Amino acid sequence: MQDKIVEVNFGPQHPSTHGVLRVKVKLDGEVIVDAQPVIGYLHRNAEKLSEMGYYPKAQIYVDRLDYAAALNMELGFVLSAEKLMDIQVPDRALWIRMMMVELNRIASHFIWLGTHGLDMGMLSPFFYCFREREKVFRILDEITGSRLLYNYFAIGGVYSDVTPKSLEMIKTWLSDFDKNLTEIENIFKKSYIYVARTRGTGKLSLDDTISYGVTGPMLRAAGKKWDLRKNRPYLHYDQINFDVPSQQAGDVYARMLVRIEEMHQSARIVAQVLEKLPAGDFYNKKYSKPMLVRIKATGESYIPTESPKGEFGIYLVGDGSAIPYRFRIRSPSFANLSAAPAMLIGYKIADMTATLSSMDPVFGEVDR
Amino acid sequence: MSDNILVTTLDEALRWGTGKSLWPFTFGLACCALEMMSAMGSDYDWARFGSDVFRDSPRHSDLMIVSGTVTKKMAPRIRRLYDQMAFPKFVISMGACASAGGPYVRGYSVVDGVDQVVPVDVYIYGCPPRPESLIKALKLLQDRIADGKVKH
Amino acid sequence: MIPVESEASSKDGVKIIYVAKENILQFLKEKKDEGFDYLLMITGIDYKDHLEVVYHLLSSKSGERLVVKAKTDGEIDSVTSLWKGANWHERETWDLLGIKFNGHPNLKRILLAEGWVGHPLRKDYPMDKKQYVNLKEDGDDTVSFEKKEGY
Ligand code: SF4
């Protein structure tokens, strides 16, 4: 019998693509021989709109890039903008930012873990993860006043101070966080089917990882201990103890382990911030209305930060006016997703959902 | 005996049944999709309101929740998905983007409102709307179906 | 050694190197051999009279960063032979800024629909001229300026 290549179109609406990804797959029997991701179904012209308004206005579009971890996105923007405009930020604001970013990272990884479970045919982790995620959201809601998209960081500080009540909430939440997470972790690790389906699936070698520009948990799962919070500390990460998890295998299972360990470490960071949080201003008093900052800037800046998906930063170029001349988003998911063919080809079609969801793509950020 | 007999028209019974067994279509577009997931997740659990089974295929579902920004590249595909749904079908437009283009309305690649693509029954404001709003929209839709105000 | 046209520094203390556009492939190859193994992004800037292509490099051993820029009038050599990840970045730069990368294996639009007119991140892109996208039976997109032809 002659080999027959079948072409299958996957998406843009598919429950396991985490959004609007389309993949054109060529199959030989059950084996994938070619896979081409097609993106752009959520291209919302964030860069163009940001180049049309004042600097602080761009923040609402930055917020909506990686909507699962909006504060991490805002951080990349405000750091870059502050560098460009030479704005000093009070110490308390830096510590608050660090705490908020880690809380948001935990929420983002919870979404990933829950939906990853769904993709692998496990319904219960989804409900456990969303239960835990809602606890984080209640804290973020208390501090920022909003659940998903916060617009909380501002050029020069943060919009509002943390209250003693919210700190108390964080303490209560921290007291049983590790226990609850371990409970969820065990659902994955002890599921024979899950382990069998993910060990050795979707492998990406370290060379390929670097060549495709893949960063974040996927890089750490491929054997490189690389975390910008350690390797190029911003905020006050150099004053905090935490470990960078890494695995050697580079498969879906390793990515799951890395992300779960990252959540434990994030909780550790939050606990330390609570101890060290200094008193003082939460906002640079020179700029009394953050949304009305109209500072003219020249030159360019790009501050890389470690978002839950990898290296994120905003490349800002100023032309001497109060409007960014060039506003380029370096989005980790875009680079991570470009490595998809290398992870899919050679595996079975049934492994595809596992591999795609292990990349944790968020399409607001891929398509921008 | 008369306590146990319910007199109704077939039409009304059908409407009651339709409203109380909406099957939404798992179809996330952007940020709002995460709040939609929260609504079906543990804390909000909107299965309590008679809209339990999220279906992955348009042919199995009768409620489309447009949760997010409708881009020009995606709009014809949304139309195609809508056409594939079985009658009777309903649409909830969730959030500022789906209702009117939201923060992206001035851009070059965003459709200003999903009502240019498919007919909409209920709009929700907010960016993103909280899960409570989505549940309210569901109740609103159920009431309107029961009143016979929505016909598709 | 490839000659460097000029050097500068960005606000966050990263070196910016300007190279002639004919030498870009050779220069980046040298830098890659020197240890800059990561290509973080390729992007472009429209300066109205000329375009600039910007490469952000990172060395994962030392953590050092480098920005390489080349002035062009719309064409430059592709670096897909050096980094696999360059493929999508170059496609995006072509899509949104209209910089052509010679030698790219598949230089097609990536974010916008195939058939779109113009490159939106150019400063002279007409924002008031709307384009409408529709779907053909075989799944490809069509683009037109008529509102009734699409969404
Ligand atoms: S309305 Fe707001 S939250 Fe919803 S998709 Fe649009 S930008 Fe995102």
Side-chain angles (χ1 to χ4, degrees), chain A residues 41 43-44 127 138 141, chain B residues 35 42-43 69 71 109 130:
Chain A
Y41 295 103
H43 178 54
R44 304 191 276 191
F127 292 104
R138 251 171 259 149
D141 198 356
Chain B
E35 286 301 68
S42 329
D43 264 35
T69 321
T71 58
S109 72
R130 297 174 75 98

Side-chain angles (χ1 to χ4, degrees), chain A residues 44 64 149, chain B residues 30-32 68-69 95-97 104 126-128:
Chain A
R44 304 191 276 191
R64 284 151 183 77
L149 306 172
Chain B
C31 348
C32 284
T69 321
C97 280
Y104 299 98
C127 180

